[in-house]
């Protein structure tokens, strides 16, 4: 039997597949389709210090081979998430990763320390790359000094392993990755969405109410692969790879480029069963290409 | 419960300008759908599914009927799907209309454009239960009018076109004053129309069906929210709606 296990800081995963933050809510809706215990992990929707109502609609637009979104980090706030959502996910045999967002260093610290007190959360994904909120997020994700600063603060605020989710909307991605590694990050999560825009022809105005949105889906996969391949050569902490994954072949490509685990985003909207189907197809896909385990595939294209 | 099903296309025909009526067969969907729900339809090569409301349900033939307008590549592609082909559908999605009326009551149905189809399945169901149905249907112009005869079979029907090329000239709200005595109104159409219906019929009990660009269509992604008078401050159109009490959401 093919060994799909991967062991990362704080995460002993039965397989490398997890839904990406923001594309899976807190799992409830998808639990009507399949057993969430099948997933390697679940990355929860972003949590902020207080509840956020997000942007005006329209918040999504389809593009060629992908979609734009500008939800604006709508969430009930970290305390309600711990009270109402974590216990639901904890019923399943899967690792829970909490996505930590904020507008200020203090807010990031508060969210991280609050999750630290919660049972059942295995790791934090530090969201310094949301392109859809006016304040916070992206400012920490585009400046290596700020990125290192917030990583240090969150590491101090919590004992949980921290995976920093990096923004592709920068000139020098590798130096961002190195800066957060040096600041103590346990891993990287990459890539977040790429800022884009669509003009609505009937109204001749940007379609999204936020004007810009984050591009995801198959359109961004080659960008993610390239960035992971480059970062893998320069940092030694593990990478959770994401960006347009929609089948088991894509997962293998991410592993070969240097990802140790993968997250599936927009494809959950196209097909709510996608994570489950990818997990089913992964063994035969690895076998087809002569790979003996998930562990064997990691970084094989790089080294 | 929402399931991912294959639906066979039994027929597809143009019923008005840019408007297609499609009859789809599937046992589970036809047996479980209620008026006001929608289907979330996958189209090859598209990341996002297309939410289309259910216009008719026929449990004997195990079919549901949808009507949609060609508004972009997705609906253009859907209009090219022909008889015998299979569609990958999530459904039935969302919650149906609150069918609170009883025999002898009167339902007022107000549909605008491609908001007309869900009114038909509701009107038909009410008519079978001996509830009076009065319909006010608005369209851009004569070539966009559809289902007039079908609504007339259910009860008194007023057709309005914005340019006056058919029926009364103006907006649905211009003829609402002609409708006397009803117990509950139901409306689906563009937001400006729903706002003006709400204002015109202030004080009356009503339900509205909303549409919005959707992501997952199952309540997980928060793409299609509407501000609401609740503690949380919002409702998800795909999973809390698409039908809401008129006083519940903020238009």
């Amino acid at each position: 039997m093919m060994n799909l296990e991967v062991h990362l800081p704080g995460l002993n995963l039965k397989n490398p597949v997890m839904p990406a933050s923001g594309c899976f809510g807190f799992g409830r809706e998808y639990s009507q389709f399949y057993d969430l215990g099948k997933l390697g992990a679940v990355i929860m929707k972003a949590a902020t210090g207080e509840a956020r109502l997000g942007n005006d609609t329209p918040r999504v637009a389809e593009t060629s081979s992908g979609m734009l979104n500008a939800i604006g980090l709508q969430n009930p706030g970290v305390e309600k998430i711990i009270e109402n959502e974590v216990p639901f996910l904890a019923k399943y045999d899967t690792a829970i990763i909490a996505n930590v967002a904020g507008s200020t260093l203090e807010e990031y610290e508060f969210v991280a320390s609050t999750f630290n007190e919660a049972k059942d959360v295995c790791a934090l994904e530090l969201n310094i790359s949301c392109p859809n909120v006016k304040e916070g997020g992206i400012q920490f994700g585009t400046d290596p000094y700020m990125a290192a600063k917030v990583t240090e603060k969150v590491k101090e605020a919590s004992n949980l392993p921290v995976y920093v989710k990096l923004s592709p909307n920068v000139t020098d991605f590798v130096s961002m990755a190195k800066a957060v590694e040096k600041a103590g990050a346990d891993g990287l999560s990459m890539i977040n969405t790429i800022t884009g825009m669509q003009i609505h022809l009937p109204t001749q105005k940007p379609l999204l109410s936020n004007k810009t949105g984050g591009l995801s889906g198959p359109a961004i996969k080659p960008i993610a692969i390239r960035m992971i391949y480059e970062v893998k050569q320069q940092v030694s902490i593990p990478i959770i790879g994401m960006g347009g994954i929609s089948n088991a072949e894509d997962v293998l490509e991410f592993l070969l480029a240097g990802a140790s685990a993968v997250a599936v985003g927009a494809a959950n909207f196209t097909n709510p069963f996608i994570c489950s189907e990818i997990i089913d197809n992964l063994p035969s896909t690895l076998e087809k290409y002569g790979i003996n385990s998930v562990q064997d595939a990691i970084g094989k294209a790089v080294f | 419960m929402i399931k991912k099903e294959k639906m066979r296309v039994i027929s597809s025909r143009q019923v008005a300008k840019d408007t297609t009526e499609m009859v789809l067969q599937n046992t589970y969907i036809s047996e479980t759908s209620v008026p006001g729900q929608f289907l979330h339809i996958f189209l090859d090569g598209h990341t996002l599914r297309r939410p289309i409301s259910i216009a008719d349900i026929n449990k004997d033939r195990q079919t549901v009927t949808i009507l949609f307008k060609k508004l972009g590549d997705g609906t253009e592609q859907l209009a090219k799907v022909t008889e015998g082909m299979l569609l990958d559908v999530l459904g039935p999605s969302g919650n149906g209309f609150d069918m609170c009326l009883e025999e002898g009551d009167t339902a007022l149905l107000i549909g605008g454009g491609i908001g007309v189809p869900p009114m038909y399945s509701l009107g038909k169901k009410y008519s079978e239960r001996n509830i009076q149905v009065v319909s006010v249907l608005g369209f851009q112009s004569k070539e966009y009018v559809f289902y007039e005869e079908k609504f007339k079979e259910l009860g008194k029907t007023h057709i309005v076109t914005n340019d006056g090329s058919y029926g009364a000239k103006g907006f649905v709200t211009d003829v609402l004053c002609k409708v006397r005595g009803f117990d509950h109104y139901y409306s689906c159409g563009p937001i400006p129309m729903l706002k003006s219906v709400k204002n015109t019929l202030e004080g009356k009990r009503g339900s509205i069906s909303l549409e919005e660009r959707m992501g997952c269509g199952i309540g997980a992604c928060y793409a299609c929210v509407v501000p609401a008078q609740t503690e949380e401050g919002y409702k998800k159109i795909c999973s809390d709606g698409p039908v809401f009490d008129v006083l519940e959401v903020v238009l």
Side-chain angles (χ1 to χ4, degrees):
Chain A
M1 208 171 111
M2 182 68 71
N3 184 359
L4 300 182
E5 284 177 28
V6 272
H7 301 279
L8 307 176
L11 301 169
N12 290 312
L13 309 177
K14 60 168 92 72
N15 67 63
V17 180
M18 59 190 91
S21 183
C23 298
F24 209 74
F26 301 97
R28 274 176 208 280
E29 295 79 11
Y30 287 90
S31 70
Q32 67 186 305
F33 297 112
Y34 61 89
D35 175 10
L36 302 184
K38 199 170 171 182
L39 298 165
V42 171
I43 312 182
M44 294 191 290
K45 184 163 174 56
T48 49
E50 299 292 326
R52 287 185 73 121
L53 281 173
N55 295 322
D56 287 343
T57 57
R59 293 176 168 187
V60 290
E62 194 180 58
T63 65
S64 305
S65 300
M67 60 174 289
L68 290 164
N69 90 80
I71 307 296
L73 296 182
Q74 178 162 13
N75 79 95
V78 60
E79 282 154 332
K80 285 250 167 68
I81 290 172
I82 290 170
E83 189 187 330
N84 303 322
E85 309 297 345
V86 174
F88 171 80
L89 278 173
K91 292 189 299 185
Y92 296 93
D93 175 26
T94 189
I96 302 172
I97 302 174
N99 183 290
V100 174
S103 308
T104 60
L105 279 175
E106 293 71 28
E107 189 178 3
Y108 278 108
E109 282 181 272
F110 172 71
V111 175
S113 63
T114 310
F115 274 128
N116 192 47
E117 302 304 316
K119 275 197 312 180
D120 303 314
V121 173
C122 303
L124 302 179
E125 180 178 55
L126 176 56
N127 184 355
I128 57 167
S129 46
C130 178
N132 298 326
V133 290
K134 283 188 183 67
E135 283 178 8
I138 199 79
Q139 87 211 34
F140 294 101
T142 50
D143 174 350
Y145 173 78
M146 292 296 285
K149 191 92 190 151
V150 68
T151 304
E152 276 167 23
K153 291 282 179 196
V154 164
K155 281 295 292 178
E156 281 168 25
S158 159
N159 298 317
L160 294 167
V162 175
Y163 293 78
V164 180
K165 188 166 187 176
L166 296 174
S167 169
N169 302 305
V170 294
T171 313
D172 186 356
F173 192 89
V174 172
S175 64
M176 292 296 296
K178 285 166 117 172
V180 300
E181 181 184 39
K182 204 173 160 209
D186 298 278
L188 301 171
S189 167
M190 55 188 280
I191 59 175
N192 207 325
T193 57
I194 298 166
T195 309
M197 183 186 275
Q198 187 175 132
I199 307 291
H200 185 232
L201 299 185
T203 55
Q204 301 173 14
K205 291 276 189 276
L207 191 154
L208 296 176
S209 159
N210 189 52
K211 297 190 175 69
T212 61
L215 180 65
S216 62
I220 71 166
K221 197 187 84 181
I223 300 172
I225 294 287
R226 185 264 294 177
M227 288 182 156
I228 290 167
Y229 183 88
E230 286 175 358
V231 166
K232 187 67 184 173
Q233 298 170 62
Q234 304 280 331
V235 304
S236 53
I237 48 176
I239 299 167
I240 300 173
M242 66 202 69
I245 293 175
S246 48
N247 54 47
E249 283 77 8
D250 292 343
V251 172
L252 177 55
E253 205 179 332
F254 273 76
L255 295 174
L256 293 170
S260 298
V262 295
V264 179
N268 289 291
F269 303 162
T270 320
N271 173 10
F273 292 92
I274 195 67
C275 290
S276 169
E277 290 176 8
I278 288 175
I279 292 164
D280 290 339
N281 294 334
L282 195 53
S284 62
T285 304
L286 295 176
E287 205 174 281
K288 182 177 169 188
Y289 293 96
I291 288 163
N292 299 318
S293 68
V294 164
Q295 194 60 46
D296 279 354
I298 299 167
K300 213 172 172 185
V302 185
F303 304 111
Chain B
M1 191 180 120
I2 299 173
K3 284 194 180 180
K4 185 162 167 277
E5 292 283 312
K6 294 277 184 229
M7 300 192 81
R8 183 171 298 280
V9 179
I10 299 299
S11 68
S12 175
R13 66 183 184 111
Q14 189 176 339
V15 290
K17 188 180 178 190
D18 297 334
T19 311
T20 303
E21 178 204 67
M22 200 175 262
V23 179
L24 303 169
Q25 191 174 46
N26 175 280
T27 308
Y28 177 76
I29 305 266
S30 63
E31 281 175 359
T32 53
S33 296
V34 296
Q37 290 186 298
F38 67 94
L39 302 180
H40 213 195
I41 303 175
F42 170 79
L43 292 160
D44 257 340
H46 288 267
T47 300
L48 297 179
R49 290 170 177 262
R50 297 301 189 272
I52 313 274
S53 58
I54 293 170
D56 199 4
I57 303 158
N58 189 321
K59 289 191 166 67
D60 297 334
R61 291 188 195 152
Q62 302 201 320
T63 60
V64 300
T65 302
I66 55 170
L67 278 102
F68 57 90
K69 197 168 167 182
K70 287 191 269 184
L71 290 169
D73 346 321
T75 38
E76 290 269 0
Q77 190 174 324
L78 186 57
K80 288 182 188 139
V81 171
T82 52
E83 202 182 304
M85 290 169 80
L86 291 174
L87 287 177
D88 169 341
V89 169
L90 285 176
S93 299
N95 299 297
F97 288 106
D98 176 13
M99 295 183 60
C100 53
L101 298 183
E102 287 167 10
E103 204 166 324
D105 287 345
T106 299
L108 170 59
L109 311 182
I110 308 156
I114 208 61
V116 169
M119 294 294 117
Y120 182 67
S121 60
L122 175 67
K124 199 172 150 193
K125 188 62 89 185
Y126 261 162
S127 182
E128 284 165 13
R129 294 189 191 172
N130 294 321
I131 286 150
Q132 300 286 319
V133 173
V134 179
S135 307
V136 177
L137 311 176
F139 300 92
Q140 274 169 269
S141 60
K142 186 181 177 183
E143 68 263 34
Y144 289 101
V145 176
F146 60 86
Y147 271 32
E148 182 186 7
E149 291 308 315
K150 282 175 168 279
F151 275 93
K152 279 187 170 159
E153 284 168 22
L154 306 178
K156 174 101 182 134
T157 301
H158 304 269
I159 304 286
V160 191
T161 54
N162 300 152
D163 64 357
S165 53
Y166 192 77
K169 184 178 190 307
F171 296 98
V172 289
T173 39
D174 295 328
V175 299
L176 287 181
C177 56
K178 289 188 194 161
V179 181
R180 294 190 202 290
F182 62 90
D183 300 284
H184 196 103
Y185 74 86
Y186 296 87
S187 189
C188 183
I191 293 285
M193 181 196 103
L194 294 177
K195 274 188 187 170
S196 115
V197 165
K198 183 183 175 180
N199 291 337
T200 309
L201 299 179
E202 208 183 334
K204 303 282 189 185
R205 289 161 60 209
S207 305
I208 53 172
S209 178
L210 302 180
E211 61 170 14
E212 184 54 80
R213 287 171 189 271
M214 291 181 185
C216 64
I218 58 171
C221 78
Y222 292 73
C224 61
V225 297
V226 57
Q229 316 270 21
T230 59
E231 193 195 332
E232 291 165 317
Y234 70 94
K235 287 280 179 187
K236 298 172 187 170
I237 292 174
C238 66
S239 58
D240 296 325
V243 176
F244 296 97
D245 185 286
V246 70
L247 298 176
E248 192 179 8
V249 289
V250 182
L251 295 179

